[in-house]
Amino acid sequence: MDSIKFKIIVFICLSIFFGACTEPIDFNQVEDLVVTPELEASFIHFNEPATRFLANGVEVSRAQDFVDIEFFRYQFTTDNLERVELIFETQNTINRDFAFTIDFIDINNTVQHSFTVQENASTDQTDTVSTYTEVFENSNLLALKQTVRIAYTLRLLAGTPIDSNTFGRVECKSYAAFQINLVK
């Protein structure tokens, strides 16, 4: 009895396999294939209390840092990178507007590209939240590929002076999405 069931199952499977609809395969379609994965990586993150903008009890309204990057020195990157998006989310609970400027600097110490993300003051000590996206394509992408250093400048804009009792913090979270063409 098990032999008959086995034969019936095999017959049904073979009938489905050979009776299925098929279309001729066009192997020339492979030439049109484009593989563009998107890679994401953390970009910038800071979370600074209001008191971070004090030095010896005096307000310091500007902080700057630099990061050297190697990513764009690789031939694979310059040949295959097609698009980059930098996505930022900023939050502020300090009663001061702030601006966060990012400069992309080449080997000659020349700024190739720059942009500023701004966040409004928090008048009631609750988070103000904003998002911003900077897209690099075409000429902007060429400028990005020449970058060897990134300068980050955080500035508190005009407003009520900060002292040791000032409440709040400024925060920025961001990531980069890289689109790479693997077939050219």
Side-chain angles (χ1 to χ4, degrees):
M1 189 70 169
D2 288 331
S3 174
I4 294 174
K5 288 181 183 177
F6 177 74
K7 288 178 183 176
I8 292 172
I9 291 172
V10 169
F11 176 75
I12 292 172
C13 289
L14 288 175
S15 296
I16 291 171
F17 178 73
F18 287 113
C21 296
T22 61
E23 292 183 21
I25 297 174
D26 180 5
F27 288 103
N28 291 328
Q29 290 177 346
V30 171
E31 294 174 12
D32 299 331
L33 178 68
V34 177
V35 179
T36 54
E38 189 170 287
L39 309 171
E40 293 182 358
S42 180
F43 186 58
I44 297 170
H45 181 233
F46 61 82
N47 187 354
E48 299 293 343
T51 54
R52 173 78 163 94
F53 298 97
L54 291 176
N56 298 322
V58 178
E59 180 181 310
V60 177
S61 61
R62 182 176 180 262
Q64 188 172 48
D65 197 6
F66 298 89
V67 175
D68 291 330
I69 58 171
E70 300 284 328
F71 183 72
F72 300 113
R73 293 187 185 191
Y74 299 108
Q75 190 68 40
F76 176 83
T77 304
T78 57
D79 288 348
N80 297 294
L81 190 62
E82 290 202 342
R83 186 172 200 261
V84 176
E85 286 185 13
L86 301 179
I87 297 93
F88 296 85
E89 179 184 276
T90 55
Q91 298 177 359
N92 186 9
T93 56
I94 301 173
N95 189 14
R96 291 279 288 276
D97 293 343
F98 77 86
F100 182 56
T101 301
I102 301 150
D103 297 318
F104 298 85
I105 303 167
D106 69 11
I107 198 161
N108 298 316
N109 212 27
T110 303
V111 174
Q112 291 295 311
H113 185 79
S114 183
F115 64 92
T116 300
V117 177
Q118 290 193 283
E119 183 61 62
N120 294 325
S122 173
T123 57
D124 60 0
Q125 298 179 344
T126 61
D127 274 328
T128 62
V129 179
S130 297
T131 58
Y132 176 82
T133 301
E134 183 78 5
V135 177
F136 293 86
E137 293 179 300
N138 306 318
S139 63
N140 284 350
L141 184 59
L142 292 174
L144 182 65
K145 288 178 181 181
Q146 295 175 10
T147 299
V148 297
R149 174 177 281 172
I150 299 175
Y152 310 100
T153 307
L154 178 63
R155 289 179 293 116
L156 290 175
L157 304 179
T160 306
I162 289 180
D163 60 31
S164 60
N165 297 317
T166 301
F167 174 83
R169 55 146 179 70
V170 293
E171 182 176 4
C172 178
K173 298 181 233 176
S174 67
Y175 69 93
F178 301 93
Q179 188 176 56
I180 298 172
N181 184 350
L182 296 179
V183 180
K184 284 201 172 197

